[in-house]
Amino acid sequence: MGKTVKKQRPINLDLQTIRFPVTAIASILHRVTGVIMFVAVGILLWILGLSLSSADGFSQAAAMMDSFIVKFIIWGILTALAYHAVGGIRHMLMDFGYLDETFAMGAMTANVTFVITVVLSILAGVLVW
């Protein structure tokens, strides 16, 4: 003999029609780039360990760094690092009170973060290739 409660739930939740605000996308990407960097630490430490193991290991690591796939992975790691750093600075500026914690300011700083990351990503591509 429980109470019957009518809950207003969506009947058909189509995830392809939901549009996230730019602030939500920025927040999700900040978390994703953190996970990417966590995994990247293992990759980079493995390459560093290989290069420091011996002269032959250094030659193997240097040869590996010449392949397109490895350069692409390194570029992706640098892009993730750039976005995570810029997004972290954005969050710190808001936390310290230098930026207003309003939706308008959040949307504007998220867009600025995306633009700065694109510029840094292009610079990282020039550095890698």
Side-chain angles (χ1 to χ4, degrees), residues 3-15:
K3 293 194 305 187
T4 303
V5 178
K6 183 177 179 185
K7 295 183 180 181
Q8 298 296 327
R9 295 184 180 181
I11 296 170
N12 184 13
L13 185 60
D14 187 8
L15 295 178

Side-chain angles (χ1 to χ4, degrees), residues 3-123:
K3 293 194 305 187
T4 303
V5 178
K6 183 177 179 185
K7 295 183 180 181
Q8 298 296 327
R9 295 184 180 181
I11 296 170
N12 184 13
L13 185 60
D14 187 8
L15 295 178
Q16 294 177 346
T17 60
I18 295 175
R19 291 195 32 94
F20 288 114
V22 70
T23 54
I25 295 169
S27 178
I28 292 167
L29 282 177
H30 191 259
R31 292 167 193 253
V32 168
T33 55
V35 171
I36 290 170
M37 288 190 322
F38 180 77
V39 172
V41 167
I43 296 168
L44 296 175
L45 284 175
W46 175 72
I47 294 172
L48 178 65
L50 178 65
S51 70
L52 295 176
S53 64
S54 65
D56 187 43
F58 180 81
S59 298
Q60 288 176 348
M64 187 177 11
M65 292 300 290
D66 286 335
S67 81
F68 175 79
I69 296 295
V70 174
K71 285 183 179 183
F72 186 76
I73 291 170
I74 296 297
W75 173 76
I77 290 170
L78 290 174
T79 300
L81 176 64
Y83 181 80
H84 198 77
V86 173
I89 291 169
R90 171 182 170 254
H91 283 293
M92 283 181 19
L93 290 174
M94 285 185 171
D95 289 344
F96 291 151
Y98 293 115
L99 298 174
D100 293 334
E101 292 186 9
T102 62
F103 181 76
M105 180 60 75
M108 195 245 337
T109 57
N111 288 325
V112 169
T113 299
F114 293 145
V115 170
I116 291 172
T117 301
V118 167
V119 170
L120 291 175
S121 179
I122 291 169
L123 290 175

